[in-house]
Amino acid sequence: MILGLRPPVAFAALLAGVAAVVIAIFNWKGAPVTSETFLVTTYIGLFLGALWAMYATGLVVVYTTTGVFNFAQGAIGVFSAFLYWELHVNRGWHSILALFVVVAMFAPALGVLLDVVIMRRLRTASLVVQLMVTVAIMVLLLSVVGDIWEADTPRRVPYLFGIENGIDLGPSQLPWHRLIVFLVAIAIAVAMRFLLRRTRIGTAMRAVVDNRELAALNGARPNVVSSTSWALGSMLGALGGILIAPELGLDPATLNNVVIIAFAAAAFGALRNLPMAVVGAMLIGLLRAHTGAWLDFGPDYRFAHLAVAPLILLFVVIALPQARLEVGRLAHHLRRHERYTKWWEGLIGCGVVILLAVAFSGGWLDFGVWDPGAWGSRELNSANEAMAFALIGLSLVPLIGWAGQINFAPLAFAGFGAFVYLKLAGDTGNGYWIIVVGLLCAPLGALVALPAARLRGLYLALMTMAFAQAMSLIFFPHSWVMPTIGVGRQFPHIELFGVTFDDRRGFFLVMVSVFAIFVYGLVLLRRSRYGRRWMAINDSQAAAATLGVPVVWTKVVVYAVSASMAGIAGVFWATVSGNVDSVQGFDLLIGFNIVLLVAAAGVSIPMAGIFLIFIPLFTGLGHRLEDAGNVGYLVTLLDIMTTYGPGLMVLGMVFNPRGAIFEMGRGFAPILPWRSDARAEIAAENAQKREPEIGELGIERPFTPEEVIAIDRRLGILDDVVPKEGYGTSRS
Amino acid sequence: MALLEAENVVMRFGGVVALDDASVDVDPGLVTGLIGPNGAGKTTLFNVVTGLLPPTSGRVRFDGVDITRAGVAKRSQMGIARTFQKLEAFNTLSAFDNVRVAVEKNHRTKWKHQRVNDVAHEMLGKVGLDDVSDVTVGTLPTGSARLVELARALACRPRVLLLDEPSSGLNEEETSSIGQLLLELVADKDNDLAVLLVEHDMSFVMGVCTRIHVLDFGKIIAVGTPMEVQGNEAVRAAYLGGDEFRAGYVGVGE
Ligand SMILES: Nc1ncnc2c1ncn2[C@@H]1O[C@H](COP(=O)(O)OP(=O)(O)OP(=O)(O)O)[C@@H](O)[C@H]1O
Ligand SMILES: [Mg+2]
């Protein structure tokens, strides 16, 4: 204990304090600090903090009562803000009426709908599935907003009671809107705290997440409880979105990013402690306002003042105590089958992929009716983009698919890889440097994972998200990193084995080969002791630890491997985009889409990366159809598939967590002559279907005597408890 | 001095006192029993000993070394292995790979000169699972998955083996062969193994254990030989009305 704080907390606080002082000293703007400007800045900070507190309250309420961390909280706010704009501004409804309809009617309905259709089924799902599904909802909601409310019309959500009216504070004035926001946020937090701690329904809500069966026995109705929390959480998201929209403008991406700050605030309260989450939100608000007012980071770090939230999250993660390894959460009988791909199957598969790619791109295939023809530059562009995406997607397979750890920052690692390559081989394009890129990205991955690896998986997910944001705010905009925007400097063509791959077809084949090599590497890795160990910590970290496996270190290693693959993929991605500037386009939302598509495909299977081909493929096909004069519904359909496809496919994970490729493979495998195991498995499953579960017996009708015998046999209940011969002599 | 000692362990979960000043010691060369009614704190004691739960107070000593603060993996390397009451097998891996994960971690330190696959096969053979070694554990019946956990624990070449209700889900025949296996393991002087067994099947416990600790509401209420424990009034009171205890009494009494 140091000053009454646990050592990690004291350490993190010290670290944060030193960082704050150093940053402040080096970036002091020099503006005079008067008590007036100070006060005004403070009240802006508190107001911002109040808005984030509202989001964070919603997150904490849903998390403490359902165990699901809702990444879609921000998107619910975005949707509600647009709906409010539609009703209030576009249709001219009174603001109070519009507010009531959106917050008190639409939002709870949405929350209940989400709960009934999706969230309830996620209770026992793995963290990967839980997070992927909420992220998918986020992406879907944002797509819907983008489709209903076209981006080209400028929109504004007005302040409640106007910005001019308010209390006069001397130098400036405090508009009613901001005062109301502040009071409402505090009132909500207090009310929620009261609800959770002091009321019957609140107690039931908290009890259900710990032990559903026990709570149900005591009269709590789990389904009512979880619907209530989702309705509440959704209402808070809606209110936050509507109230923050006048400040930030009605832009989906900006409004949605607010939620990252709310994540940091919620983490400040260890995701469960409401008052601390509010304190965290206020702290971030104050820091944001005051850094904006007094500090100047110069043109190279022009977005740095926005990076307060990721930094806070980092310090929180350092301060949190080590998580206990959970036991007794495992559902036996998952009916999950893993089979090693044989090394020769891998070789054949990769060979086939390469041959197909060559044949297709060269136009050597002719199916008679449908002759794809040799690819033109547009098809090749799409194909190249697809392969680059696929490579990035592959980096997620060992991490998400095997070790069950989440990474929302594959593009940030890819960007870092592109940066390293540009620095090392920018002039020559010498391809051998790619190996060094892989080596340098690995420690970065380890560094990102290190602080959060000893915590629950959710924190790692949040950390990677914070990392992605910090990279795009601090690292990539720096002029030294990606030199001068607008000059149009080309990313170098890669040169390997004395050949410069400056034509698109050649480069496509290079990427297909790299893809095949990666897949084959993964096949071998999966069969190795490392692959086994990663699968093991995914199944049970506690058991792995009791066998002597260092769990934290193992996770860090997986992140390093994944980051290294993503970095190498980034070199190809940047080469495909050509322009150096584009490397900055590594934004979070594209990252989400990549993660979602890989997850939907079945992220434990290397070939899942191939699914990412859908993004450019659909766009490319759309172009083609348009060229052919086929504009109508087909193009729209493809458009819809590109926008909504990933999200919708991930929702499928609720019912089928193993992913699409897995199911396809299961249908396909029994046909292969050497896969007698697959045929046997199907047969066994059919046999099992006929034999009902013990728990299901006797519900519809009384047992027959044969069934009683069968049950006794399966439960191992014996007539005679005394063993015939004993177990040997007991020595005393 | 005993090989493994838990000394005055207190474990509190909020208002619930799961372990209340409980002390247990385990010696090599014999099977020590730990019995008690449901919710007595047996599993909690295992969690404290293996490091999955930090005790509210009290110490855990292994081979004379205080390991109360040591990490889970560290304790495993020192020689503490366990199985779980609620299964914690690696469900997506095959039975063979479940064991291999354990062997691979320990083969340099504890299985000198032996090939990983050989050791893994040997362990599966010991628990009688050779024929399902390639089956995914998630699809095995509960009893077999439990045996996979046992094989996995043995693959760590432990000096103390903690077994949490190994017989549940097994039939009479399988239970008796596990009992036989345990007695063989502790009798083998090369192993120098101590077993701490938590069980509800009284005839099983009374048959294999040399010493028994009885836990009730987190307190140790009796320690002794099977005969002594069965004669103890406090133990009888704790188990009042429990048929399981009488059944066990008959089992050893003949
Ligand atoms: N993580 C936990 N949080 C709160 N209470 C717990 C926790 N683990 C155990 N308990 C409580 O501690 C007590 C002891 O539980 P434990 O599982 O150790 O009993 P046990 O002797 O193993 O019982 P059983 O024979 O049913 O396996 C119980 O009252 C249980 O509810
Ligand atoms: Mg128990």
Side-chain angles (χ1 to χ4, degrees):
Chain A
M1 294 281 185
I2 302 155
L3 297 174
L5 297 173
R6 284 181 306 101
V9 178
F11 175 69
L14 184 73
L15 215 61
V18 170
V21 169
V22 169
I23 290 173
I25 288 175
F26 279 95
N27 300 290
W28 195 254
K29 197 191 271 177
V33 185
T34 63
S35 65
E36 282 159 15
T37 46
F38 188 84
L39 271 181
V40 170
T41 316
T42 302
Y43 107 69
I44 289 182
L46 286 177
F47 159 71
L48 285 174
L51 280 171
W52 295 325
M54 227 180 280
Y55 279 98
T57 307
L59 284 172
V60 171
V61 167
V62 171
Y63 185 72
T64 40
T65 56
T66 67
V68 175
F69 192 79
N70 185 15
F71 272 72
Q73 183 79 356
I76 292 175
V78 174
F79 196 99
S80 306
F82 272 86
L83 191 62
Y84 175 77
W85 175 86
E86 179 72 32
L87 297 178
H88 177 47
V89 178
N90 212 23
R91 306 258 157 116
W93 294 19
H94 190 272
S95 58
I96 300 293
L97 178 65
L99 198 64
F100 180 80
V101 168
V102 177
V103 175
M105 294 167 71
F106 164 75
L110 178 68
V112 171
L113 184 77
L114 284 179
D115 177 53
V116 171
V117 180
I118 298 165
M119 297 304 169
R120 259 177 218 179
R121 294 166 220 277
L122 292 184
R123 196 171 47 84
T124 52
S126 67
L127 179 71
V128 170
V129 174
Q130 281 184 352
L131 286 193
M132 289 301 147
V133 168
T134 62
V135 168
I137 292 170
M138 169 185 116
V139 171
L140 284 176
L141 278 174
L142 292 181
S143 313
V144 174
V145 167
D147 270 358
I148 300 183
W149 293 282
E150 306 265 326
D152 37 23
T153 349
R155 296 185 185 83
R156 276 210 65 80
V157 171
Y159 290 84
L160 298 174
F161 312 111
I163 186 78
E164 310 82 28
N165 307 320
I167 305 173
D168 201 10
L169 281 187
S172 76
Q173 71 162 7
L174 174 58
W176 291 121
H177 181 92
R178 294 187 176 163
L179 186 66
I180 290 174
V181 165
F182 186 77
L183 295 178
V184 166
I186 301 298
I188 286 175
V190 172
M192 286 299 149
R193 172 83 172 171
F194 180 80
L195 176 80
L196 286 179
R197 296 272 151 185
R198 293 287 148 80
T199 63
R200 258 189 78 88
I201 175 94
T203 313
M205 286 165 97
R206 283 185 298 129
V208 165
V209 74
D210 287 333
N211 191 333
R212 200 176 166 87
E213 285 71 32
L214 202 65
L217 282 180
N218 286 322
R221 280 175 298 169
N223 287 343
V224 175
V225 162
S226 76
S227 285
T228 312
S229 347
W230 278 98
L232 277 174
S234 170
M235 284 169 77
L236 293 176
L239 197 60
I242 293 172
L243 293 177
I244 207 169
E247 306 286 339
L248 298 182
L250 206 49
D251 170 54
T254 320
L255 277 184
N256 186 51
N257 278 346
V258 167
V259 81
I260 301 182
I261 301 169
F263 291 166
F268 201 83
L271 304 181
R272 284 171 178 277
N273 185 334
L274 209 47
M276 283 309 274
V278 173
V279 169
M282 293 294 172
L283 184 68
I284 298 173
L286 287 173
L287 280 173
R288 272 282 280 270
H290 283 285
T291 33
W294 316 118
L295 304 184
D296 180 10
F297 295 96
D300 279 344
Y301 295 105
R302 57 197 175 284
F303 302 120
H305 62 282
L306 300 176
V308 171
L311 271 178
I312 292 274
L313 187 66
L314 174 67
F315 290 122
V316 168
V317 158
I318 292 174
L320 282 169
Q322 168 126 25
R324 285 179 191 168
L325 296 170
E326 285 190 353
V327 284
R329 298 256 158 171
L330 220 59
H332 190 61
H333 280 285
L334 287 176
R335 301 237 184 291
R336 302 199 302 181
H337 302 252
E338 279 303 319
R339 171 183 175 274
Y340 290 149
T341 311
K342 300 253 184 318
W343 63 269
W344 52 269
E345 284 171 342
L347 266 191
I348 292 177
C350 294
V352 168
V353 167
I354 294 181
L355 280 180
L356 274 180
V358 172
F360 256 106
S361 63
W364 301 334
L365 284 181
D366 185 353
F367 298 101
V369 188
W370 180 60
D371 174 14
W375 283 358
S377 63
R378 197 191 260 165
E379 284 85 359
L380 278 170
N381 255 354
S382 290
N384 278 338
E385 225 173 273
M387 283 321 295
F389 276 138
L391 279 177
I392 297 176
L394 272 189
S395 74
L396 300 173
V397 169
L399 187 68
I400 306 183
W402 299 347
Q405 305 298 315
I406 301 197
N407 178 10
F408 285 128
L411 282 180
F413 290 118
F416 185 76
F419 150 75
V420 172
Y421 185 72
L422 196 66
K423 286 291 160 212
L424 293 176
D427 304 323
T428 60
N430 187 339
Y432 298 112
W433 286 112
I434 291 179
I435 297 169
V436 180
V437 169
L439 292 179
L440 286 179
C441 285
L444 183 70
L447 204 65
V448 172
L450 204 54
R454 61 200 179 85
L455 306 175
R456 265 171 308 143
L458 184 53
Y459 284 103
L460 256 172
L462 292 177
M463 249 329 260
T464 58
M465 207 163 146
F467 166 71
Q469 217 204 5
M471 287 291 274
S472 64
L473 289 176
I474 299 175
F475 188 76
F476 290 126
H478 196 288
S479 62
W480 176 73
V481 175
M482 295 291 165
T484 28
I485 300 180
V487 178
R489 182 169 162 210
Q490 291 296 300
F491 208 84
H493 292 295
I494 291 179
E495 189 217 299
L496 266 179
F497 316 116
V499 184
T500 306
F501 291 93
D502 49 4
D503 88 307
R504 293 205 179 89
R505 193 179 318 275
F507 190 63
F508 175 66
L509 294 179
V510 169
M511 276 203 291
V512 172
S513 309
V514 172
F515 182 82
I517 293 171
F518 270 24
V519 167
Y520 191 57
L522 285 178
V523 167
L524 294 185
L525 195 60
R526 170 69 186 81
R527 296 173 59 86
S528 77
R529 60 170 57 192
Y530 301 101
R532 253 193 305 282
R533 191 174 294 170
W534 298 346
M535 307 277 295
I537 64 162
N538 189 4
D539 278 340
S540 169
Q541 296 190 18
T546 57
L547 300 177
V549 173
V551 175
V552 173
W553 178 242
T554 307
K555 285 191 219 169
V556 170
V557 169
V558 192
Y559 269 90
V561 169
S562 173
S564 162
M565 290 175 69
I568 293 174
V571 175
F572 290 96
W573 202 73
T575 314
V576 169
S577 344
N579 207 322
V580 168
D581 302 353
S582 65
V583 175
Q584 289 177 27
F586 292 97
D587 88 5
L588 205 54
L589 219 54
I590 301 182
F592 277 140
N593 259 325
I594 289 185
V595 178
L596 286 183
L597 260 178
V598 179
V603 74
S604 59
I605 298 150
M607 278 296 171
I610 283 284
F611 249 57
L612 290 166
I613 288 177
F614 282 129
I615 304 177
L617 191 70
F618 285 149
T619 348
L621 267 176
H623 288 316
R624 234 185 181 189
L625 290 173
E626 247 165 339
D627 291 350
N630 224 334
V631 195
Y633 69 97
L634 266 179
V635 178
T636 326
L637 192 70
L638 282 169
D639 226 27
I640 292 176
M641 280 163 89
T642 334
T643 338
Y644 294 95
L648 286 176
M649 276 160 63
V650 166
L651 290 193
M653 287 177 82
V654 177
F655 307 98
N656 166 27
R658 304 305 313 280
I661 289 199
F662 178 78
E663 293 301 327
M664 274 152 55
R666 257 166 61 110
F668 177 66
I671 304 170
L672 301 174
W674 66 92
R675 290 295 303 274
S676 57
D677 60 308
R679 287 188 286 275
E681 188 182 291
I682 301 254
E685 224 159 73
N686 288 341
Q688 217 154 25
K689 260 183 217 143
R690 254 172 270 128
E691 197 173 345
E693 290 282 322
I694 287 175
E696 293 162 7
L697 284 171
I699 290 176
E700 310 198 324
R701 58 188 164 71
F703 296 132
T704 62
E706 295 85 62
E707 279 170 347
V708 173
I709 295 171
I711 293 170
D712 281 359
R713 181 166 43 79
R714 274 161 72 189
L715 289 179
I717 300 172
L718 309 155
D719 298 326
D720 182 6
V721 203
V722 188
K724 299 277 177 316
E725 272 95 277
Y727 301 102
T729 43
S730 66
R731 298 162 298 162
S732 31
Chain B
M1 188 173 45
L3 181 58
L4 175 73
E5 292 168 292
E7 260 180 35
N8 309 101
V9 174
V10 177
M11 183 75 230
R12 230 172 254 147
F13 299 107
V16 181
V17 185
L19 288 174
D20 189 0
D21 208 22
S23 300
V24 170
D25 52 305
V26 182
D27 293 305
L30 46 92
V31 179
T32 308
L34 178 64
I35 62 171
N38 288 106
K42 306 179 292 291
T43 302
T44 305
L45 185 76
F46 273 24
N47 288 341
V48 168
V49 168
T50 47
L52 290 171
L53 282 176
T56 313
S57 69
R59 333 233 105 253
V60 180
R61 242 186 284 278
F62 178 76
D63 209 3
V65 184
D66 187 334
I67 57 165
T68 320
R69 303 250 154 261
V72 182
K74 178 86 202 325
R75 297 185 203 209
S76 161
Q77 269 143 23
M78 293 174 81
I80 300 179
R82 74 172 286 181
T83 65
F84 295 86
Q85 180 182 5
K86 272 197 93 180
L87 287 174
E88 293 281 337
F90 304 133
N91 279 334
T92 42
L93 298 179
S94 69
F96 185 54
D97 280 346
N98 264 266
V99 182
R100 270 210 282 184
V101 169
V103 183
E104 277 157 1
K105 193 60 223 158
N106 297 294
H107 95 288
R108 222 172 304 150
T109 44
K110 298 180 187 160
W111 299 104
K112 296 180 183 93
H113 313 303
Q114 292 196 50
R115 293 190 27 217
V116 171
N117 289 6
D118 294 346
V119 178
H121 276 304
E122 189 191 329
M123 294 304 134
L124 279 177
K126 272 193 181 160
V127 299
L129 286 181
D130 326 66
D131 48 337
V132 291
S133 72
D134 288 332
V135 179
T136 313
V137 171
T139 62
L140 285 174
T142 318
S144 309
R146 224 170 260 292
L147 293 179
V148 170
E149 281 199 7
L150 176 58
R152 201 173 64 175
L154 289 175
C156 296
R157 200 160 203 180
R159 294 182 59 203
V160 172
L161 180 59
L162 310 171
L163 302 177
D164 204 343
E165 306 201 11
S167 83
S168 80
L170 299 185
N171 63 26
E172 186 188 1
E173 207 178 308
E174 289 164 329
T175 306
S176 87
S177 68
I178 288 301
Q180 208 61 55
L181 172 65
L182 291 185
L183 290 176
E184 276 165 27
L185 284 171
V186 293
D188 187 343
K189 282 279 170 278
D190 293 344
N191 285 340
D192 195 26
L193 178 72
V195 173
L196 181 60
L197 174 70
V198 164
E199 253 307 333
H200 281 300
D201 179 341
M202 283 306 147
S203 55
F204 181 33
V205 175
M206 299 300 164
V208 298
C209 294
T210 311
R211 270 178 90 228
I212 294 177
H213 296 252
V214 187
L215 203 56
D216 188 28
F217 287 114
K219 288 194 172 68
I220 296 287
I221 54 169
V223 186
T225 63
M227 289 302 253
E228 288 164 5
V229 163
Q230 285 171 71
N232 186 306
E233 273 314 309
V235 177
R236 290 178 163 272
Y239 273 97
L240 199 66
D243 290 338
E244 36 190 350
F245 203 71
R246 234 172 299 132
Y249 186 72
V250 177
V252 175
E254 47 91 72

